Amino acid sequence: MDEAHGVLTDAVPKILPKTLAIALLAGSGALVAPPVAIADRGTPPLLYGYYNVFVDFAKQTFNGAPTPMEAKTFLVEYTANCDVNGCVVSMDNSDDLARNPGAPGVFEYRWNNGRWETSGDYPYLCERMNPDSAVKSVRSDYLIPMPDGSFFGERTITVEGAGCPGEGAGVHWLPISVSPV
């Protein structure tokens, strides 16, 4: 006992100051460490690069009735951009503008419920190669990823207003698939 100060010195182990210093250093290190953000969201399977887009016009329907045409495959470039708001996949449609100059140059797909989706105004050509036959419509596609890197889905084109002569308004439906080149 230190009688001059009235403090018990024999009861305090000699190791305590060293243990206390280590504990304080370790504890203060936790206060200095940068925070770590943890987000429980993965990046969806992206389309990026060149793909063959198979549009199965042979299975096309209009208001449920078969309206088959020759199926076609188009080489198309896709790009992807991801940020804090999610990912957007863009399909380059510039090759189709010569046939349908009113069509969008790019279709943007957003990830929703396990698939890529796009929808927007689209000038539907009543006569496939005649831009003067365009009528107002909405084109919607969805693409579901497959384990081999390909995608499959559907396209609907909802023709509005009076529609095409002899056909009227209604919904064109057809299957589509996308395979990497």
Side-chain angles (χ1 to χ4, degrees), residues 80-161:
N81 183 33
C82 298
D83 61 21
V84 296
N85 297 312
C87 296
V88 175
V89 167
S90 299
M91 183 189 96
D92 180 3
N93 191 48
S94 60
D95 285 350
D96 193 37
L97 296 181
R99 181 188 70 86
N100 189 349
V106 172
F107 290 98
E108 290 188 342
Y109 292 77
R110 289 182 168 59
W111 187 252
N112 187 33
N113 294 320
R115 64 190 197 176
W116 290 104
E117 298 178 348
T118 185
S119 187
D121 291 339
Y122 182 77
Y124 177 76
L125 304 183
C126 297
E127 299 170 30
R128 182 160 173 69
M129 301 305 289
N130 180 2
D132 293 332
S133 71
V135 295
K136 187 174 178 170
S137 73
V138 174
R139 173 179 149 167
S140 301
D141 293 0
Y142 73 79
L143 297 169
I144 298 172
M146 301 299 293
D148 66 356
S150 66
F151 296 79
F152 79 94
E154 297 180 354
R155 172 171 297 160
T156 57
I157 299 176
T158 304
V159 178
E160 301 173 344

